[in-house]
Amino acid sequence: MSQTAKPSPEDSQPENSPTQETRTQETLPGDFVDFLAENAGRFEEELKEWLRIASISSDSSAKDDVHRAAEWVKNKFEAAGLKTESIPTAGFPLIYAETPPPAAADGKLPPVALVYGHYDVQPPEPLDLWTSPPFEPDVRDGKIYARGATDDKGQVLTHVLAVCEWLSSGRTLPIQIKFLIEGEEEVGSANLEEHLPRLSDKLACDVVVVSDSSQYGPGRPAITCGLRGIATYELFIDGPSHDLHSGSFGGAVMNPAIALCQMMASMIRPDGTIAVEGFYDDVLPIPEIERDSWKQLGSDDEEFARSVGAKQLAGEAGYTTDERRWARPSFDINGLTSGHQGEGVKTVLPAKASAKFSHRLVPNQDPVKITQKLQEHFARHCPTGVTFELKPDHGAGAMLADANSPYTKAASAAVESAFGVAPVMIREGGSIPILARFQEVLDCDVLLLGWGQNDDAAHSPDEKFALEDFHRGIRASAGLWQQMGRS
Ligand code: BES
Ligand code: MN
Ligand code: MN
């Protein structure tokens, strides 16, 4: 369908020149802008309705709610007259909808866009750190607080509303827009990945549009031209057949918790580089043009450290904070389990220990190859007296988008018109596992337009989304489809 070549870092050359020329071009008819403003309160109520559904995909007791969240968005599409269907999977359904294709003008086919997003959310724990309950949306100081506010219901809804309200107001769209809203992004999208080849005709498009990321900062909208990939694992250490008295046996029997600490420590050097043999073999260097352009964004390490509540920043030497977060691989321990966690002292030599850990990957790193290297690394670093088992969970490659595509240019104009300022070109460090697969299977481009903020607390207590960003997102989405129809 698309003629877009797979983007390579060389043709992904975002420019963040401070002298960037600003064009103020209205991308929407004035009466529609007025209509959106008049209906802002209703859109907020609809968002609240969706946010009240606790669609936690990882929680087996929340199954009914996840299905209800799918139905909610399906009903929205149906009410606006889109051709809609719920595609069952072994897990939660894929909600698909499409607008009518426009008539071809001058034999030239306008592009087809596929909006992708997710209706599932992360678990809300720890509950006691929420100011208002996670599934009772509360507006404070112009921001809506709820699990899923920014990740991703609030952001998905901007596109759903822009398209549905445009059609409901009796207008026609200059391009065809398809939607695929899934319910398992937060657990790795394995079922969507499995269905994808079979769905490739239905999902055929020129560009996938995703709002599931962030702006660079307040008042600094961004187009995200790359995301990191991910590889997640659990490492199990097995020692004696049962817990032992550390007085009788300590010093004579290998302690699995110590073995785990040694093995985890063997992964990373004091200078922040990853010590797994061959880990960097396939890593592509960051193109100088991107490094230069990110340096012009003017990020401030001290301010950044303050904003995340860190005493000081850390990481690989020789790279700026944005480079380390966006385009260098990383290693994190996500959880450690072993021995006595309860009150007081228990002098025990535990029989088992385990850790959950993950790597963020950069372009050209393959999660399957990384697993192989980790297996070899742990075999070399496992102390005698214990055994280990490495269990891979999900893996996905990194994603690069074409910063110079006509879609990026259309988006830039639409974002500028809605936010009053042109977007900067960035990458981000999080992962949306299915995007690299979309590029491969659908041979399409990807356009990441994050309306959220870095401090929106996605996955954390008091997750929020600024209502101003919600409404600007709706306007930018509506403007994008008009702009794409012109290009
Ligand atoms: N919306 C995020 C991805 C994201 C985060 C993009 C930050 C840009 C900046 C997404 O919902 C997410 O949380 N993804 C997970 C994937 C994992 C569960 C396989 C992630 O990045 O940890
Ligand atoms: Mn998300
Ligand atoms: Mn998420």
Side-chain angles (χ1 to χ4, degrees):
M1 185 90 202
S2 158
Q3 303 80 39
T4 319
K6 282 254 163 56
S8 75
E10 284 70 38
D11 54 29
S12 240
Q13 302 177 347
E15 280 165 30
N16 289 319
S17 154
T19 55
Q20 207 159 7
E21 179 192 321
T22 51
R23 307 134 288 164
T24 320
Q25 186 186 3
E26 194 45 72
T27 52
L28 282 180
D31 59 337
F32 192 67
V33 175
D34 293 343
F35 171 85
L36 292 180
E38 283 153 19
N39 288 274
R42 173 166 64 85
F43 301 155
E44 291 169 17
E45 288 311 310
E46 292 189 17
L47 173 57
K48 285 184 194 164
E49 232 180 76
W50 205 14
L51 289 172
R52 284 192 195 104
I53 308 173
S55 48
I56 310 160
S57 51
S58 62
D59 180 351
S60 54
S61 71
K63 273 201 179 105
D64 289 352
D65 280 338
V66 187
H67 282 283
R68 281 209 300 134
E71 282 299 308
W72 190 92
V73 70
K74 179 167 170 269
N75 289 339
K76 277 292 301 172
F77 290 132
E78 276 171 347
L82 277 77
K83 203 169 123 194
T84 307
E85 110 189 64
S86 173
I87 303 166
T89 73
F92 295 114
L94 305 165
I95 302 301
Y96 175 79
E98 62 179 42
T99 64
D106 324 325
K108 199 181 138 220
L109 276 178
V112 176
L114 171 69
V115 175
Y116 164 79
H118 59 99
Y119 61 80
D120 64 324
V121 300
Q122 287 274 327
E125 285 76 17
L127 291 172
D128 53 325
L129 295 184
W130 285 80
T131 308
S132 50
F135 298 107
E136 294 173 27
D138 189 34
V139 175
R140 298 191 293 275
D141 196 19
K143 297 169 187 109
I144 186 160
Y145 287 81
R147 170 57 84 236
T150 188
D151 188 9
D152 182 28
K153 287 171 181 165
Q155 298 207 57
V156 173
L157 195 57
T158 61
H159 298 294
V160 175
L161 286 169
V163 171
C164 291
E165 297 293 333
W166 183 270
L167 293 177
S168 302
S169 69
R171 300 165 197 267
T172 55
L173 282 157
I175 68 166
Q176 185 179 33
I177 302 160
K178 304 176 174 181
F179 285 89
L180 186 73
I181 316 296
E182 70 149 316
E184 297 179 43
E185 193 277 343
E186 297 290 10
V187 291
S189 303
N191 284 311
L192 170 53
E193 179 163 2
E194 194 192 305
H195 281 256
L196 191 55
R198 195 178 62 73
L199 296 174
S200 61
D201 284 343
K202 192 188 289 288
L203 301 181
C205 63
D206 298 286
V207 61
V208 174
V209 176
V210 189
S211 289
D212 192 18
S213 52
S214 296
Q215 302 181 49
Y216 187 65
R220 301 195 68 188
I223 295 182
T224 299
C225 302
L227 290 177
R228 291 194 290 185
I230 189 167
T232 65
Y233 301 92
E234 193 156 4
L235 179 66
F236 298 93
I237 309 294
D238 227 339
S241 61
H242 51 281
D243 285 7
L244 299 172
H245 191 295
S246 71
S248 310
F249 304 101
V253 173
M254 184 66 206
N255 181 319
I258 294 177
L260 179 69
C261 291
Q262 289 175 337
M263 290 167 78
M264 286 289 105
S266 75
M267 299 274 295
I268 187 146
R269 300 189 187 92
D271 68 0
T273 56
I274 293 156
V276 176
E277 296 76 357
F279 185 86
Y280 291 96
D281 282 359
D282 298 327
V283 168
L284 290 182
I286 314 170
E288 279 308 316
I289 188 148
E290 281 192 276
R291 299 187 79 171
D292 288 345
S293 109
W294 298 344
K295 281 180 184 131
Q296 303 195 28
L297 293 168
S299 90
D300 173 343
D301 276 0
E302 268 178 39
E303 174 53 35
F304 188 87
R306 227 188 341 266
S307 75
V308 296
K311 292 169 187 59
Q312 203 179 312
L313 298 183
E316 194 180 3
Y319 293 92
T320 67
T321 304
D322 283 341
E323 288 166 357
R324 300 199 303 280
R325 294 191 305 135
W326 298 345
R328 294 296 296 169
S330 63
F331 162 62
D332 278 287
I333 298 177
N334 309 116
L336 290 168
T337 309
S338 186
H340 179 59
Q341 314 274 326
E343 203 181 333
V345 175
K346 184 187 182 193
T347 48
V348 69
L349 191 165
K352 291 177 189 308
S354 64
K356 295 194 187 211
F357 70 94
S358 55
H359 288 289
R360 294 291 164 166
L361 306 177
V362 299
N364 208 38
Q365 279 186 299
D366 172 1
V368 176
K369 280 200 206 167
I370 296 295
T371 303
Q372 188 57 42
K373 290 179 204 297
L374 285 172
Q375 191 69 42
E376 289 161 13
H377 177 88
F378 289 136
R380 228 172 278 139
H381 287 85
C382 183
T384 47
V386 297
T387 56
F388 78 91
E389 192 199 339
L390 177 68
K391 201 175 136 259
D393 191 355
H394 39 250
M399 193 279 309
L400 279 181
D402 180 355
N404 294 310
S405 72
Y407 317 116
T408 308
K409 295 195 171 81
S412 190
V415 168
E416 182 180 344
S417 173
F419 286 73
V421 47
V424 290
M425 299 295 184
I426 63 171
R427 290 200 211 171
E428 283 184 88
S431 311
I432 303 178
I434 204 67
L435 297 187
R437 301 287 298 135
F438 279 151
Q439 287 177 319
E440 284 166 26
V441 177
L442 306 178
D443 187 22
C444 62
D445 213 333
V446 170
L447 188 53
L448 278 164
L449 306 173
W451 315 135
Q453 295 291 346
N454 266 316
D455 68 355
D456 275 347
H459 296 201
S460 305
D462 280 352
E463 177 177 349
K464 64 174 180 297
F465 189 31
L467 289 172
E468 198 177 16
D469 286 333
F470 174 61
H471 295 297
R472 286 166 171 160
I474 298 171
R475 282 205 301 279
S477 171
L480 175 64
W481 318 125
Q482 308 318 313
Q483 202 64 29
M484 276 189 184
R486 283 174 204 144
S487 53

